Amino acid sequence: MTEQEVPGVHETAILAGGCFWCLEAVFKDVEGVKSVTSGYIGGRVESPSYRQVCDGGTGHAEAVRIEFDAQVISYRDLLEIFFVVHDPTSLNRQGNDVGTQYRSAIFATSEAQLDDALALVEEMGEMRLYPSAIVTTIEMAETFWPAEEFHRDYYARNADQSYCQYVVAPKIAKFREKFASRRKQGG
């Protein structure tokens, strides 16, 4: 039996935390993550374009779909990384990116994920880990629309671009500092 055939090993997580370029770059570096796809979720328009989502009228969030091996990294571990590399207390914005398309959201793909996310947010709130309340929404996932090819591996192809240097790279550095043991081997 191959790894692909083992039941319950591969799972999907869908997270929104601002620009999807940042989350994609971080999670591609995480041990146990098999693939990361940038895209759109949570809106009213079928198969939206980047321009439509950026204009803010579709209701979609920029998000990443993460395929991961649950025997290597847990869903909760992914969420803990997520909460470190973006600001979960900032409503409908991350840095200079403003609008509901940049909201902090968790789109659970199972009831177990929903329960885990709700429990973690409650724990973090009780621990007062942030100076403000966590505004991350948690809901069941609906259709995830992959982003245009241009957005895939954006950081890897554009690391010298100023946005990548000033916004994406610090998030990667934060992940690598706080979760060094979760980094892919050879990464």
Side-chain angles (χ1 to χ4, degrees):
M1 186 177 279
T2 67
E3 184 180 19
Q4 291 279 354
E5 295 169 329
V6 176
V9 173
H10 293 311
E11 289 188 37
T12 301
I14 302 174
L15 306 171
C19 175
F20 48 38
W21 297 338
C22 296
L23 292 181
E24 179 194 54
V26 167
F27 284 105
K28 279 186 170 257
D29 201 20
V30 176
E31 175 186 44
V33 169
K34 301 300 181 189
S35 68
V36 184
T37 305
S38 293
Y40 318 107
I41 191 169
R44 302 174 293 282
V45 174
E46 287 197 25
S47 194
S49 69
Y50 180 67
R51 183 57 34 222
Q52 287 174 306
V53 172
C54 283
D55 288 345
T58 69
H60 290 86
E62 285 194 19
V64 291
R65 180 178 61 206
I66 304 164
E67 304 294 334
F68 66 101
D69 184 337
Q71 290 185 334
V72 177
I73 188 162
S74 71
Y75 181 68
R76 183 180 172 110
D77 289 338
L78 291 175
L79 292 181
E80 289 175 359
I81 293 167
F82 171 69
F83 281 111
V84 166
V85 300
H86 88 293
D87 180 1
T89 67
S90 183
L91 185 63
N92 298 329
R93 86 175 296 147
Q94 289 294 305
N96 291 330
D97 294 327
V98 179
T100 58
Q101 65 272 33
Y102 303 113
R103 66 188 178 268
S104 175
I106 297 168
F107 297 92
T109 62
S110 69
E111 289 295 327
Q113 284 188 0
L114 184 70
D115 292 344
D116 286 349
L118 290 167
L120 179 58
V121 169
E122 184 177 334
E123 288 171 30
M124 291 187 321
E126 289 171 358
M127 294 169 54
R128 300 192 192 290
L129 293 178
Y130 299 96
S132 301
I134 294 170
V135 297
T136 304
T137 60
I138 303 168
E139 58 195 89
M140 290 303 294
E142 294 181 2
T143 304
F144 178 88
W145 303 98
E148 298 83 349
E149 186 67 35
F150 171 79
H151 299 290
R152 297 189 189 141
D153 295 316
Y154 191 85
Y155 178 76
R157 293 183 293 104
N158 298 283
D160 293 335
Q161 184 201 54
S162 61
Y163 183 89
C164 289
Q165 289 180 353
Y166 294 107
V167 180
V168 183
K171 291 177 187 259
I172 295 169
K174 190 180 235 185
F175 159 71
R176 289 176 177 175
E177 176 188 334
K178 301 230 183 242
F179 298 96
S181 66
R182 287 291 182 197
R183 191 166 178 215
K184 284 186 177 168
Q185 296 295 320

